[in-house]
Amino acid sequence: MSKTLDHLNNLVRHIDLVRENTLLLGRKLIENGEDDFGVSLVERGYRHDNSKFSGLEFDYLHNGPDTPAKELALAIKEHQSQNDHHPEFHSEGIAGMCRLQVAEMTCDWLARSQEFGTSLRDWIDETAITKYNINKRGKQYKWIREFVDLLLQDSFKR
């Protein structure tokens, strides 16, 4: 299989997972009476990561052995600066994100955990809180927990 086809397949697989997750979460939010919010989240899922199909992002936003580190870093920076579901998009980081952006981000995080076969809850507790300077008393953390509890079977331990 060609490198381009392999990259395209991985990209589409990721976006499909995010779309599935936004659809699942959107439906659950609608069931809870948040119709407009749920529909808006599903819409975002259908636009998720479209910037990855061209330019630096398509050329270098994959971590293969032949991807130059400098170009990969530039592609990551470009992607994060164009997509507001990334904390790096916001000058205040995750604290500057609205609830809809946090919902899409959580669906994106779940997609990555599905791709790598890892626990989303563990990654949030062990990595994300420190990496993104998440205030465990802040509204964004509350939203993340709410969304993860809706997306996954077992809720966070109380």
Side-chain angles (χ1 to χ4, degrees):
M1 179 179 320
S2 77
K3 289 180 187 179
T4 300
L5 186 55
D6 187 47
H7 174 52
L8 181 66
N9 288 340
N10 289 334
L11 172 58
V12 170
R13 184 174 30 258
H14 172 73
I15 291 172
D16 285 347
L17 283 171
V18 175
R19 286 181 180 166
E20 289 174 20
N21 294 338
T22 58
L23 185 57
L24 173 64
L25 182 55
R27 286 177 171 157
K28 290 191 176 202
L29 291 162
I30 291 167
E31 288 172 1
N32 290 343
E34 294 189 67
D35 295 24
D36 292 341
F37 188 82
V39 171
S40 293
L41 178 60
V42 171
E43 176 194 4
R44 287 179 73 96
Y46 277 85
R47 290 186 281 118
H48 182 84
D49 280 356
N50 282 341
S51 65
K52 287 184 176 179
F53 285 101
S54 62
L56 280 175
E57 291 183 50
F58 189 80
D59 292 342
Y60 298 109
L61 201 52
H62 46 92
N63 198 5
D66 59 342
T67 304
K70 182 179 177 182
E71 283 80 359
L72 175 61
L74 287 171
I76 290 169
K77 185 174 183 171
E78 180 175 299
H79 178 70
Q80 292 170 340
S81 73
Q82 294 184 45
N83 293 277
D84 66 2
H85 65 274
H86 288 282
E88 297 86 353
F89 178 92
H90 305 272
S91 60
E92 306 90 23
I94 207 163
M97 295 175 74
C98 73
R99 189 166 178 253
L100 192 56
Q101 294 160 342
V102 171
E104 183 181 358
M105 175 189 71
T106 305
C107 291
D108 192 18
W109 288 356
L110 177 57
R112 296 299 285 172
S113 75
Q114 292 166 323
E115 291 166 350
F116 292 109
T118 58
S119 165
L120 176 59
R121 287 192 179 92
D122 289 348
W123 182 82
I124 290 168
D125 288 339
E126 297 166 7
T127 304
I129 289 172
T130 301
K131 178 177 181 175
Y132 298 114
N133 195 28
I134 300 172
N135 178 353
K136 289 179 84 172
R137 293 189 182 100
K139 61 186 174 186
Q140 285 80 6
Y141 183 69
K142 178 183 173 191
W143 296 335
I144 292 167
R145 288 178 56 123
E146 170 194 0
F147 300 142
V148 170
D149 286 348
L150 288 170
L151 286 163
L152 302 178
Q153 291 280 339
D154 303 319
S155 62
F156 267 99
K157 294 177 183 155
R158 304 280 179 211

